[in-house]
Amino acid sequence: MCGIAGWVSFDADLTRRGDALDAMTETMACRGPDGRGTYLRTHVGLGHRRLAVIDLPGGVQPMSVSTPAGDIALVYSGEAYNFQELRDRLTSLGHAFRTDSDTEVVLRSYLEWGESVVDHLDGMYAFAIWDERDEKLLLVRDRMGIKPLYYYPTRDGVLFGSEPKAILANPLVRKAVDTDGLRELFAQTKTPGWALWKGMREMLPGTLIAVDRNGLRERTYWRLNAVEHTDSLDDTVSRVREMLTGIVDRQLISDVPQCVLLSGGLDSSAITGLAAQRLALRGEQVRTFSVDFVGQEENFVPDEMRDTPDSPFVRDVAAHVRSAHHDVVLDPGALSDPAVRRATVTARDIPNGFGDLDSSLYLLFKAIREQSTVALSGESADEVFGGYPWFHIEAALHAETFPWMMFIPPMSLAARTDHIEPGLRKTLDVGTYTADQYKTALAEVEYLDGESEQERRMRAMCHLHLTRFVRTLLDRKDRLSMAVGLEVRVPFCNHRLVEYVYNTPWSMKTFDGREKSLLRQAAAPALPRSVVERVKSPYPSPQNPGYAAMLQQQVKELVAEPDAQVFALVDRAWAQQVMVQDPAGMSTAVRAGLERVLDLHTWLELHAPELQLD
């Protein structure tokens, strides 16, 4: 796992601009603490920061090979889990390898297959290849969008980076944000391609972009297609179990210490159980990590999203698989620390208002990084297998909006917009924008002839989650983990598993009348009974009212500043009103508003953007 950055300019001599390339590359230092390198030629500069995971001495980047017609150079972030099979195949085709790294496998795969390299890779990746033979840059992003990649077209080429901060470090870029950027920031619909900053784009998952003297060409090489499912229920369960076992086995390949993130829910417990089985065959013990909050279990009160605390189920799984387990316990002071908020906003480049969900995950990853370099996660199982409660609520199935916005309090329209400055709120019209994006997202769904109305609706629900909601969660996990140099792998995002389960009829996905029936049945042999029977519970959030009180105090200090720039975006009257609310009775939506105000303030301090609000 690494961070990449680069610049192509067909009208300039970039050998004179090494300072700018260095500045772009150094913004990725957290993603790659183990090494750095640059490749600089007349019309191209490639930068790389390395997190060494496989072939520690050999996988140095940028990596290049010479051909009679010119060099081919690669900067690469991620993992190709099938690199060993590809290496064998390429060797049989006459390729000679200098290293044991998956980076060289990707580079030589391009030599063999050109742009069709994308059809051969299985993994999570974002990479750039400069082909001097054609004076062409190729940008590639993995199918599910696990690894981030951004680009910024220029008059004579392009800038790119793993994160926006790499692009923003180039002097060509104005740090401007207009109302179009802000509209999506507050709407949180994950509009494809949106990157907040004016002129910048997020590369879409499953796409490649070629840049040459004729301009920029984009091609989609993978998307979710509707395919008839012909397996029986028993065969489907067996196939899911077989696929997951193989996926976890491949993702346990590493030359550095690794672990599993364990929440006590079905998803992370399934990965833990399978990992424990595979590691036992090697004579190794699985290591697990969980996050918790001071007093959470003892004082837990069921709320609108969580019926039970995580800790008892974490203990059950750890005991069942005999893991070397570690709890990371956080208190309100750590979660509300402005330095932690600054770190999370820096990591994510945007003020998204996730608040304690981001700060707790960041602190968890920071603690894990002291002992591990790689972690496996149960992220995305709910999107793949239909695990969220609203998949099973009739009102959500017929709502004319993204269903999660009806049932996650911080994502309601009021929570997303009540705190916005009134004039700006009217200009942005987030409600209309959200409705338009919902229609656009639905129009992308492909259906099978003869599907029942229910199957069509559930296919659409799954598609919305796999093309919108999951991308927000994957971006969050990547940014916060890579901010501390931790590689997080997500087995449930294997594209073949996603394709298979996506096309499994809804009647099979819920064959026992419960959520995630297929996963529950497939993983049951590896799990304690308590977890097999547990109802879905989301990522934990602190219930201590002391945390909300700390947020109120920080916003109060902002209100006291007459020239605080944040009130160009935030309604000062709203902030004054919520400051006096009883923190013990504060709604989740209001607390989310406080988080967004503080995130916006931090972001403005970090970037000093040019706000174009007209």
Side-chain angles (χ1 to χ4, degrees), residues 242-481:
E242 174 189 340
M243 293 178 79
L244 273 175
T245 301
I247 291 164
V248 170
D249 197 38
R250 277 188 173 188
Q251 296 195 18
L252 287 171
I253 297 174
S254 172
D255 293 335
V256 293
Q258 56 190 325
C259 65
V260 182
L261 307 178
L262 176 61
S263 70
L266 176 63
D267 312 339
S268 66
S269 300
I271 300 301
T272 300
L274 292 172
Q277 291 177 347
R278 306 313 295 173
L279 290 172
L281 296 176
R282 308 180 196 172
E284 299 177 31
Q285 181 185 25
V286 67
R287 297 189 307 140
T288 53
F289 287 82
S290 299
V291 68
D292 200 1
F293 308 104
V294 173
Q296 183 90 336
E297 182 177 0
E298 298 85 349
N299 303 303
F300 182 83
V301 177
D303 59 26
E304 64 260 279
M305 298 183 68
R306 298 166 183 86
D307 291 330
T308 55
D310 289 340
S311 297
F313 300 94
V314 168
R315 290 193 294 269
D316 285 353
V317 176
H320 186 79
V321 304
R322 299 181 180 180
S323 72
H325 183 70
H326 307 267
D327 285 313
V328 177
V329 183
L330 306 174
D331 61 40
L335 292 171
S336 62
D337 185 347
V340 173
R341 186 179 300 276
R342 190 177 183 87
T344 61
V345 175
T346 298
R348 299 200 62 180
D349 288 309
I350 58 173
N352 59 24
F354 277 35
D356 67 87
L357 299 179
D358 277 358
S359 56
S360 63
L361 193 62
Y362 170 81
L363 292 170
L364 170 65
F365 288 154
K366 189 176 181 181
I368 291 173
R369 185 61 176 89
E370 295 176 1
Q371 302 182 54
S372 289
T373 308
V374 172
L376 271 64
S377 166
E379 190 80 86
S380 308
D382 286 310
E383 290 78 14
V384 174
F385 289 93
Y388 292 113
W390 49 84
F391 274 95
H392 311 270
I393 297 174
E394 198 66 23
L397 302 182
H398 299 285
E400 293 300 317
T401 190
F402 296 101
W404 51 89
M405 292 184 175
M406 291 182 62
F407 292 94
I408 301 179
M411 298 198 75
S412 68
L413 182 60
R416 288 179 289 140
T417 62
D418 279 358
H419 60 288
I420 303 175
E421 192 277 327
L424 180 61
R425 187 191 311 146
K426 183 177 180 181
T427 298
L428 298 181
D429 192 8
V430 170
T432 299
Y433 174 83
T434 301
D436 290 343
Q437 282 301 314
Y438 175 70
K439 293 174 184 175
T440 299
L442 274 185
E444 297 171 358
V445 184
E446 175 186 295
Y447 301 98
L448 290 176
D449 292 339
E451 277 188 312
S452 68
E453 186 58 36
Q454 184 197 30
E455 288 293 340
R456 286 173 62 88
R457 185 57 197 162
M458 298 318 298
R459 182 181 292 280
M461 283 279 284
C462 293
H463 196 278
L464 289 173
H465 284 77
L466 290 167
T467 59
R468 294 288 182 123
F469 196 45
V470 78
R471 293 178 185 176
T472 296
L473 302 180
L474 291 173
D475 182 76
R476 167 179 174 254
K477 186 143 288 181
D478 172 87
R479 300 296 199 88
L480 296 175
S481 61

Side-chain angles (χ1 to χ4, degrees), residues 67-359:
T67 75
D71 286 355
I72 300 172
L74 166 71
V75 284
Y76 168 76
S77 170
E79 306 290 347
Y81 299 125
N82 64 334
F83 79 98
Q84 292 173 329
E85 297 97 310
L86 285 176
R87 182 188 177 95
D88 291 343
R89 184 175 178 187
L90 290 165
T91 299
S92 72
L93 293 171
H95 290 265
F97 287 83
R98 305 189 305 264
T99 74
D100 294 324
S101 69
D102 60 335
T103 302
E104 187 177 5
V105 171
V106 174
L107 180 57
R108 294 193 174 276
S109 294
Y110 175 78
L111 274 171
E112 181 66 32
W113 295 300
E115 289 187 8
S116 296
V117 62
V118 296
D119 300 322
H120 296 267
L121 297 177
D122 171 15
M124 56 177 189
Y125 45 80
F127 59 86
I129 294 177
W130 173 252
D131 192 334
E132 197 172 62
R133 299 173 300 182
D134 303 317
E135 286 198 321
K136 178 180 75 174
L137 178 77
L138 183 69
L139 299 174
V140 175
R141 192 175 183 201
D142 67 65
R143 296 169 179 85
M144 289 295 291
I146 305 168
K147 292 288 99 188
L149 190 56
Y150 294 80
Y151 65 100
Y152 185 99
T154 63
R155 179 185 55 81
D156 66 335
V158 72
L159 304 167
F160 68 88
S162 292
E163 299 177 6
K165 59 176 66 67
I167 296 170
L168 294 173
N170 189 288
L172 290 181
V173 179
R174 289 175 62 184
K175 288 186 176 181
V177 176
D178 60 13
T179 51
D180 287 337
L182 291 173
R183 190 171 288 113
E184 170 58 30
L185 174 68
F186 290 113
Q188 297 186 334
T189 67
K190 197 57 178 174
T191 295
W194 175 82
L196 180 59
W197 303 94
K198 190 174 181 179
M200 192 184 299
R201 300 283 291 169
E202 180 184 19
M203 194 165 167
L204 300 184
T207 64
L208 60 83
I209 292 176
V211 183
D212 58 22
R213 290 184 179 273
N214 296 318
L216 184 151
R217 170 178 55 85
E218 183 175 1
R219 175 170 73 85
T220 299
Y221 69 88
W222 184 86
R223 60 166 54 91
L224 279 174
N225 293 318
V227 178
E228 185 179 2
H229 185 82
T230 57
D231 290 347
S232 68
L233 175 58
D234 288 344
D235 288 345
T236 299
V237 171
S238 297
R239 179 64 177 146
V240 168
R241 182 182 298 125
E242 174 189 340
M243 293 178 79
L244 273 175
T245 301
I247 291 164
V248 170
D249 197 38
R250 277 188 173 188
Q251 296 195 18
L252 287 171
I253 297 174
S254 172
D255 293 335
V256 293
Q258 56 190 325
C259 65
V260 182
L261 307 178
L262 176 61
S263 70
L266 176 63
D267 312 339
S268 66
S269 300
I271 300 301
T272 300
L274 292 172
Q277 291 177 347
R278 306 313 295 173
L279 290 172
L281 296 176
R282 308 180 196 172
E284 299 177 31
Q285 181 185 25
V286 67
R287 297 189 307 140
T288 53
F289 287 82
S290 299
V291 68
D292 200 1
F293 308 104
V294 173
Q296 183 90 336
E297 182 177 0
E298 298 85 349
N299 303 303
F300 182 83
V301 177
D303 59 26
E304 64 260 279
M305 298 183 68
R306 298 166 183 86
D307 291 330
T308 55
D310 289 340
S311 297
F313 300 94
V314 168
R315 290 193 294 269
D316 285 353
V317 176
H320 186 79
V321 304
R322 299 181 180 180
S323 72
H325 183 70
H326 307 267
D327 285 313
V328 177
V329 183
L330 306 174
D331 61 40
L335 292 171
S336 62
D337 185 347
V340 173
R341 186 179 300 276
R342 190 177 183 87
T344 61
V345 175
T346 298
R348 299 200 62 180
D349 288 309
I350 58 173
N352 59 24
F354 277 35
D356 67 87
L357 299 179
D358 277 358
S359 56

